[in-house]
Amino acid sequence: MTTAVITRKWYTTAEVAEMLGFSLSKTKMLVLTGEIRSVKIGRNRRILPEWVDEYIQRVTADVTGWSA
């Protein structure tokens, strides 16, 4: 018998906050302002892993040209 491994397709706002090291309120604000894309399913917000990656790439691209 084989064991199926199910990979996560969606993250909650709280999970994204924990991954990014942000507070839940900051992450909710990023979602509400559209900086992190999300979709509303019923009463819940869900965020694709790719959307988290897009946010990180956008933020790091802004500081790539910065020098100390």
Side-chain angles (χ1 to χ4, degrees):
M1 185 162 139
T2 61
T3 304
V5 176
I6 299 173
T7 58
R8 297 291 307 262
K9 304 295 183 198
W10 300 100
Y11 294 124
T12 64
T13 308
E15 290 169 330
V16 172
E18 186 175 328
M19 288 187 316
L20 296 175
F22 293 163
S23 68
L24 182 57
S25 60
K26 177 174 178 65
T27 306
K28 285 182 177 181
M29 185 58 67
L30 291 170
V31 166
L32 289 173
T33 60
E35 289 191 56
I36 297 177
R37 294 196 298 167
S38 70
V39 63
K40 191 165 184 176
I41 302 172
R43 294 171 49 177
N44 301 302
R45 287 243 168 237
R46 294 295 181 256
I47 302 165
L48 287 173
E50 296 85 31
W51 296 343
V52 178
D53 293 339
E54 286 175 7
Y55 170 74
I56 293 169
Q57 288 174 354
R58 227 177 18 260
V59 170
T60 57
D62 290 344
V63 296
T64 302
W66 185 80
S67 60

